[in-house]
Amino acid sequence: MIEGKVATDKFVDMVSATAEVDLRLSDFHPHSSLQTPEHTVERARFPVIDYHNHLDSTDPRDVLAIMDQCGVERVVNITMQVGQTALDIMDRFHQAAPDRFSSIGWMDWSGVERPDFVQLTLDRLHRMIEHGACGIKFWKDLGLTLRDASGALLRIDDERFTPLFQECGKLGLPVMFHTADPSAFFEPIDAHNERYEELAAHPDWGFHHSPVGKRALLEQRNRVIARHPGTTFVGAHCAESAEDLAYLSQQLDALPNLQIDISARTPELGRQPYSARAFFLKYADRILFGTDLLPEVEMYRLYFRFLETADEYFEYPSHASRQGRWNIYGLFLPNEVLRKVYRENSLRLLPRLS
């Protein structure tokens, strides 16, 4: 060593080196080097009811062919249309295969400024039931964007809507809530957001500047569920709490009339496999299988792989922009849990089925 000169530490240099690259994030598609067992589940181990899907633009015959390949017994179409268009869609699927398709209606907010809006909605509700609706869905616009005649933001727990939920209880009609969205959607769309690419593709999905935060929205929804213990509620997408299973557990413990579906939440559940598996085992009677993705053979098979196998680090079913740069792990659920999640829990909400 030359006197007065500090020697370079090669190890320090190695572990402290950083890089600036010109590769666009959208062009970065790494292939995993892991060599782990892969198990393709071509058909679910037990018959499946997909309780959460959107088939409005599809041909029932095409969907049936996919269902037959994968062991899907029934799909519940949540129509995103209202009025006569919605009724026509319900009729089209029910007439194509009444034993394979069911329908959940979409809450129609047209006329919300009218003083008779609640009665108008009750009339619409009964009309949908006449066309075979087995539920009604309230979307995230309630609480986030919808306003009343005075221009005030409509709260989810607005007591003016109490008769709607009471009527659903009397009719035995489940109410589905898609309230709020993934937590990342309420954060700035920047370099720290783990779902940056998805939100960059869909900037209108971001609610960082919303006047109401996510937890407040969920608490509004939960007050409605607590007020109506005789009505069955379904929290779509793990009741929008898949990133925090401890909080989701608290909600299920406090609200015995709340069920959840897992649609579009394998990305969240599958990256926390230890916690997710324990959650499924504990709440096996409260979890419904759903996908929220256009029916495709490979999509269903990825869902089955997630639920049935112990495979490690594989792609989750998603839409084109994906939901985050991670992969998932299988939960290898026991048969008694699979039977409930795949079919039995949904059957309780579809009383016309045997």
Side-chain angles (χ1 to χ4, degrees):
M1 173 176 161
I2 301 174
E3 187 176 350
K5 196 169 184 178
V6 178
T8 298
D9 187 320
K10 294 180 179 180
F11 183 76
V12 171
D13 287 347
M14 179 181 69
V15 298
S16 60
T18 60
E20 292 187 8
V21 298
D22 296 325
L23 179 67
R24 297 188 308 171
L25 183 59
S26 57
D27 292 333
F28 181 54
H29 304 290
H31 296 284
S32 173
S33 299
L34 286 177
Q35 300 296 315
T36 58
E38 298 181 11
H39 301 91
T40 299
V41 182
E42 295 188 355
R43 294 175 62 87
R45 193 175 303 168
F46 304 105
V48 169
I49 295 174
D50 182 349
Y51 192 78
H52 187 139
N53 215 316
H54 301 283
L55 307 178
D56 287 355
S57 64
T58 65
D59 186 319
R61 294 168 297 181
D62 296 338
V63 178
L64 285 168
I66 294 168
M67 293 165 65
D68 290 341
Q69 278 187 262
C70 300
V72 177
E73 173 185 303
R74 180 176 289 262
V75 175
V76 179
N77 177 42
I78 305 170
T79 179
M80 298 181 72
Q81 299 292 332
V82 296
Q84 188 60 46
T85 301
L87 301 180
D88 291 344
I89 290 171
M90 291 181 188
D91 291 346
R92 176 160 58 91
F93 278 91
H94 297 169
Q95 291 168 8
D99 59 334
R100 306 294 297 279
F101 294 114
S102 297
S103 299
I104 289 177
W106 194 263
M107 178 62 185
D108 185 353
W109 292 103
S110 60
V112 69
E113 72 286 349
R114 290 171 46 167
D116 64 342
F117 176 70
V118 169
Q119 184 57 53
L120 176 65
T121 300
L122 291 173
D123 293 341
R124 290 168 174 167
L125 183 65
H126 283 274
R127 184 71 171 143
M128 287 191 292
I129 293 172
E130 290 173 3
H131 286 257
C134 63
I136 184 170
K137 181 175 180 179
F138 288 74
W139 197 50
K140 61 186 175 183
D141 51 354
L142 177 59
L144 278 170
T145 60
L146 286 168
R147 296 182 181 274
D148 64 15
S150 70
L153 195 66
L154 279 173
R155 291 177 59 93
I156 300 167
D157 57 359
D158 191 317
E159 293 190 358
R160 287 176 290 184
F161 305 138
T162 292
L164 304 181
F165 301 113
Q166 288 177 332
E167 184 69 6
C168 288
K170 292 177 184 176
L171 296 170
L173 192 75
V175 175
M176 179 179 284
F177 266 121
H178 173 167
T179 298
D181 259 332
S183 297
F185 289 17
F186 289 82
E187 298 169 359
I189 305 175
D190 59 19
H192 301 288
N193 193 308
E194 67 176 355
R195 295 173 75 153
Y196 175 81
E197 288 172 280
E198 180 183 29
L199 289 166
H202 306 279
D204 55 311
W205 292 0
F207 298 108
H208 173 57
H209 298 295
S210 170
V212 188
K214 174 175 176 174
R215 183 60 69 93
L217 290 166
L218 298 183
E219 289 173 350
Q220 288 181 30
R221 179 202 65 198
N222 290 347
R223 278 191 284 276
V224 173
I225 298 172
R227 284 179 194 159
H228 301 281
T231 302
T232 297
F233 292 87
V234 178
H237 316 305
C238 290
E240 289 301 352
S241 303
E243 307 96 329
D244 188 345
L245 292 182
Y247 177 53
L248 181 53
S249 296
Q250 291 172 15
Q251 295 174 81
L252 288 169
D253 291 344
L255 302 166
N257 55 329
L258 172 63
Q259 319 290 310
I260 62 168
D261 76 45
I262 63 170
S263 63
R265 290 301 174 266
T266 53
E268 305 299 346
L269 297 169
R271 60 173 169 157
Q272 49 180 329
Y274 305 139
S275 298
R277 188 174 195 275
F279 179 86
F280 271 78
L281 296 181
K282 181 176 181 181
Y283 297 102
D285 295 320
R286 314 273 295 276
I287 301 172
L288 312 171
F289 179 84
T291 62
D292 194 36
L293 290 168
L294 287 173
E296 293 180 349
V297 170
E298 292 309 314
M299 178 274 289
Y300 277 119
R301 288 174 176 171
L302 280 174
Y303 265 100
F304 304 156
R305 186 180 180 190
F306 163 65
L307 294 171
E308 296 186 23
T309 79
D311 285 4
E312 298 176 293
Y313 201 71
F314 56 93
E315 288 193 359
Y316 53 81
S318 181
H319 47 68
S321 57
R322 290 180 58 79
Q323 294 170 256
R325 286 207 167 236
W326 61 79
N327 281 349
I328 64 170
Y329 302 79
L331 301 187
F332 58 101
L333 295 174
N335 287 343
E336 61 269 22
V337 174
L338 288 172
R339 286 192 185 94
K340 293 176 179 180
V341 172
Y342 274 151
R343 184 176 185 268
E344 292 174 5
N345 295 338
S346 291
L347 280 180
R348 294 200 302 272
L349 307 186
L350 301 168
R352 297 178 182 84
L353 305 184
S354 57

